[in-house]
Amino acid sequence: GDSVTQMEGPVTLSEEAFLTINCTYTATGYPSLFWYVQYPGEGLQLLLKATKADDKGSNKGFEATYRKETTSFHLEKGSVQVSDSAVYFCALSDPTSGTYKYIFGTGTRLKVLA
Amino acid sequence: DSGVTQTPKHLITATGQRVTLRCSPRSGDLSVYWYQQSLDQGLQFLIQYYNGEERAKGNILERFSAQQFPDLHSELNLSSLELGDSALYFCASSVGALAGKETQYFGPGTRLLVL
């Protein structure tokens, strides 16, 4: 079945460092891919998404490119801030499978130090 | 603020009891989704309703049930509660039924503690 694998956390970086959080997926069809962010004590918020191969999603300085050949959707940011400290979830949804379900990765906690 | 509201924010109950969690979607959204977030299982999709009808089912236990009412709010009923049901329960909503193409907006969650 469909699945999402994220890198284990926590990831601890200094402010202004470069961020990469790896995400790979397995899907039978042509999924859409998402990154959600969860700040402490809050629900999840959509950060960015890509609905087809080679699409690049971007928002708030974060980027991720849908790579079909490597089945990956890695999240990157050039210069992180303390306010980026949160848990980041990679997710997929594969309407072609007929289930319309979202499948989330386990989440990666990011901690940015001043 | 996502526009999705959930009540109550916190719930403490005992094993064997039954609770009801409530969710009001964003104005105009027809789909409601329920998720369970626990430390050992991560974020698990439970069930989706679209305009009052069940649309998709995930890893929802038989002890759990949900419904969506004509005013589009939804309730998740959890019965015969066990310690392992302690978790954060999130509701999300979207405009239409196709989860794959649409953004889901999440509520702040209900934290359930079963003692």
Side-chain angles (χ1 to χ4, degrees), chain A residues 29-55:
Chain A
Y30 303 95
S32 296
L33 302 172
F34 306 82
W35 277 100
Y36 278 82
V37 58
Q38 184 178 27
Y39 297 102
E42 298 183 15
L44 280 71
Q45 303 173 27
L46 178 69
L47 184 58
L48 52 85
K49 68 180 181 181
T51 57
K52 61 183 189 298
D54 300 324
D55 268 3

Side-chain angles (χ1 to χ4, degrees), chain B residues 35-48:
Chain B
Y35 292 86
Q36 180 193 58
Q37 186 179 36
S38 60
L39 283 174
D40 55 343
Q41 296 282 334
L43 193 64
Q44 299 282 321
F45 168 73
L46 296 178
I47 198 163
Q48 177 199 0

Side-chain angles (χ1 to χ4, degrees), chain A residues 21-91:
Chain A
I21 299 178
N22 290 338
C23 171
T24 56
Y25 69 90
T26 304
T28 52
Y30 303 95
S32 296
L33 302 172
F34 306 82
W35 277 100
Y36 278 82
V37 58
Q38 184 178 27
Y39 297 102
E42 298 183 15
L44 280 71
Q45 303 173 27
L46 178 69
L47 184 58
L48 52 85
K49 68 180 181 181
T51 57
K52 61 183 189 298
D54 300 324
D55 268 3
K56 178 188 276 190
S58 61
N59 185 26
K60 299 181 183 178
F62 291 90
E63 292 182 342
T65 301
Y66 188 146
R67 302 274 188 214
K68 196 169 188 301
E69 63 277 10
T70 54
T71 61
S72 65
F73 193 55
H74 304 321
L75 182 68
E76 295 182 338
K77 187 175 186 183
S79 174
V80 294
Q81 305 299 312
V82 172
S83 57
D84 294 326
S85 298
V87 181
Y88 292 81
F89 292 89
C90 185

Side-chain angles (χ1 to χ4, degrees), chain A residues 92-107:
Chain A
L92 74 80
S93 186
D94 185 3
T96 58
S97 71
T99 60
Y100 304 101
K101 293 187 296 188
Y102 265 61
I103 296 171
F104 284 85
T106 52

Side-chain angles (χ1 to χ4, degrees), chain B:
Chain B
D1 184 358
S2 67
V4 178
T5 60
Q6 289 186 250
T7 56
K9 197 167 184 177
H10 300 278
L11 200 47
I12 302 175
T13 188
T15 54
Q17 295 297 305
R18 173 190 166 96
V19 297
T20 298
L21 313 183
R22 183 187 167 102
C23 168
S24 292
R26 290 188 325 151
S27 175
D29 284 359
L30 298 179
S31 272
V32 169
Y33 310 79
W34 286 99
Y35 292 86
Q36 180 193 58
Q37 186 179 36
S38 60
L39 283 174
D40 55 343
Q41 296 282 334
L43 193 64
Q44 299 282 321
F45 168 73
L46 296 178
I47 198 163
Q48 177 199 0
Y49 277 82
Y50 172 72
N51 205 20
E53 301 287 328
E54 182 183 303
R55 177 79 181 193
K57 216 165 188 176
N59 302 320
I60 189 165
L61 300 172
E62 284 192 15
R63 301 183 284 108
F64 297 0
S65 65
Q67 54 184 326
Q68 186 179 29
F69 295 87
D71 67 352
L72 300 176
H73 90 271
S74 177
E75 293 182 354
L76 179 67
N77 300 296
L78 315 176
S79 61
S80 302
L81 284 167
E82 301 175 0
L83 296 178
D85 297 327
S86 296
L88 254 178
Y89 291 84
F90 285 108
C91 166
S93 73
S94 69
V95 171
L98 294 179
K101 298 294 184 186
E102 299 183 358
T103 299
Q104 293 187 18
Y105 295 88
F106 281 76
T110 293
R111 186 172 293 280
L112 173 66
L113 181 59
V114 182
L115 299 175

